[in-house]
Amino acid sequence: AEDDFKPSTTGNYSAQATADLSELAKKDADDESLNKWKASLGVNPATAGSLKVEVLSFSILSPGREPIAYDLKNAQTLKDLEETGYTLKAKAEFQVQLKFVVSGGIVSGLKFINVTKKMGVKVDREEKVVGSYGPQEAAHVWISKPADIVPGGMLAKGSYSSTIKVLDDDGKEWLTFNQKFTIANEW
């Protein structure tokens, strides 16, 4: 259901409190120290433009093993993730990592929403706040906190499908992809 991906409210967020990058860059233009500070946040007229969030990769991190990483810019990788997926070890600790680039403005209130199904029945919905980010050339890295534990036991083992979406406070959807994963005794 589409309601599964409706983000929870963000409190007293006000769209009136936002400004575009060029407006912020022009404010107090004669204050040198303020201009340096704004530049450190990525606020300058040269980077102003249409806001864009490009999610580059999705990874599963677990202590003591190499990350399970997927390049989300590669169509074949997305197809493999949806059709084949990956295996998680029952009762293992894990975290999700996203790498993404923000350009053209400041993105406010990014959220990671994951709806998981087993045999077509929703078994979990997870929503995590990613945060607000300014533009920069280098990729931002977000790692979910706290770490999660993969369910264990006979009923938890098996194949799952999930849909992941990354949205902002305005409801703009920056990423959607489907994945399959299996919970088993070993990786």
Side-chain angles (χ1 to χ4, degrees):
E2 197 56 39
D3 282 351
D4 289 339
F5 293 101
K6 185 176 180 186
S8 59
T9 63
T10 54
N12 295 327
Y13 170 75
S14 169
Q16 297 163 345
T18 63
D20 76 13
L21 225 46
S22 58
E23 286 177 38
L24 290 173
K26 290 175 188 171
K27 279 187 175 183
D28 302 313
D30 56 341
D31 186 332
E32 187 177 331
S33 65
L34 186 57
N35 286 333
K36 285 181 183 177
W37 178 72
K38 287 192 281 188
S40 75
L41 298 174
V43 177
N44 71 58
T47 59
S50 180
L51 176 61
K52 183 177 178 187
V53 177
E54 182 178 26
V55 184
L56 306 173
S57 68
F58 165 80
S59 302
I60 302 292
L61 310 177
S62 187
R65 64 172 283 115
E66 289 295 312
I68 301 170
Y70 293 94
D71 173 4
L72 299 179
K73 303 314 305 165
N74 182 313
Q76 185 59 48
T77 299
L78 287 170
K79 184 177 177 185
D80 291 345
L81 192 54
E82 184 173 359
E83 293 176 0
T84 310
Y86 53 89
T87 299
L88 295 173
K89 182 179 177 181
K91 299 184 182 178
E93 183 178 298
F94 75 98
Q95 292 174 287
V96 172
Q97 175 182 279
L98 297 177
K99 289 185 182 177
F100 57 95
V101 174
V102 177
S103 60
I106 298 170
V107 64
S108 176
L110 276 182
K111 290 187 179 177
F112 169 89
I113 300 175
N114 182 17
V115 176
T116 303
K117 296 180 178 180
K118 185 174 185 178
M119 298 186 333
V121 177
K122 182 173 87 168
V123 293
D124 189 39
R125 180 190 185 277
E126 174 183 36
E127 179 176 335
K128 296 198 181 237
V129 174
V130 176
S132 298
Y133 296 86
Q136 67 181 35
E137 288 183 24
H140 294 283
V141 177
W142 171 78
I143 298 174
S144 64
K145 293 189 174 52
D148 289 314
I149 304 293
V150 178
M154 289 293 289
L155 294 177
K157 292 177 185 164
S159 296
Y160 294 81
S161 62
S162 76
T163 300
I164 292 175
K165 292 189 180 197
V166 176
L167 306 118
D168 65 21
D169 269 343
D170 296 328
K172 169 82 172 145
E173 202 172 291
W174 293 104
L175 171 73
T176 298
F177 70 93
N178 298 310
Q179 65 171 350
K180 283 190 178 177
F181 63 93
T182 302
I183 296 177
N185 287 332
E186 296 299 326
W187 293 98

